[in-house]
Amino acid sequence: MAEQLILKESMLHEESVKNIRVRENFFSDGRSYVSELWALEGTTNMTYYFAADGMEENESALEEYLVSVDKLVAKEEHHMGIMTLYVEGVKVYSVTVTVGQEDTLYCEARM
C-alpha cells in the first residue's frame, strides 16, 4: 500500500461521539480502519473509516471491497453513504452502511 496510516477514533472526531461500539483494527489486506456502530432516530448504522489508497470513490467498488474483507455480506441490501475526509494529509473514506431501521433489518455489518 502506498499510504501507511494507522487510524484511531481520536483522529476522526473533534469531540467525543456517542457510539454504541467502536473498533480500531486492520482489514485482512493490512489496511488500518476504524468501525463505529451507532444509532440515530430509529436507524442503526455502521461507519467504516479507511485510507482510500488508490480506491475509486465509487459505491459499487467500495461495497465490493467491504464484502471482500468480510465486513459486509454479498447479495444483501446495502444502503450506503460515502464521504471523503483528510486525516493527517491522507485521503480517508467514511462509508456508512444503514444496518436497519425500526423493525426492518437490511444487512449484517461486522465490526
Side-chain angles (χ1 to χ4, degrees), residues 19-30:
N19 294 304
I20 297 170
R21 189 167 170 209
V22 175
R23 181 174 189 192
E24 299 169 350
N25 207 340
F26 295 88
F27 289 132
S28 57
D29 67 357

Side-chain angles (χ1 to χ4, degrees), residues 3-85:
E3 302 167 356
Q4 181 59 28
L5 175 68
I6 297 177
L7 287 171
K8 300 285 182 192
E9 179 187 17
S10 60
M11 300 164 76
L12 301 169
H13 306 293
E14 290 182 19
E15 296 179 20
S16 180
V17 174
K18 301 232 182 219
N19 294 304
I20 297 170
R21 189 167 170 209
V22 175
R23 181 174 189 192
E24 299 169 350
N25 207 340
F26 295 88
F27 289 132
S28 57
D29 67 357
R31 187 183 310 260
S32 172
Y33 76 92
V34 172
S35 58
E36 298 177 335
L37 177 63
W38 55 281
L40 180 66
E41 297 178 0
T43 302
T44 302
N45 305 283
M46 180 76 76
T47 300
Y48 299 99
Y49 299 92
F50 53 94
D53 196 27
M55 281 189 227
E56 283 185 55
E57 189 172 340
N58 169 298
E59 184 173 328
S60 179
L62 293 174
E63 178 181 25
E64 185 177 309
Y65 175 73
L66 290 171
V67 168
S68 77
V69 294
D70 201 32
K71 296 302 170 194
L72 299 177
V73 177
K75 299 183 181 172
E76 286 187 335
E77 186 177 3
H78 301 123
H79 300 277
M80 298 172 53
I82 302 164
M83 290 186 358
T84 301
L85 311 169

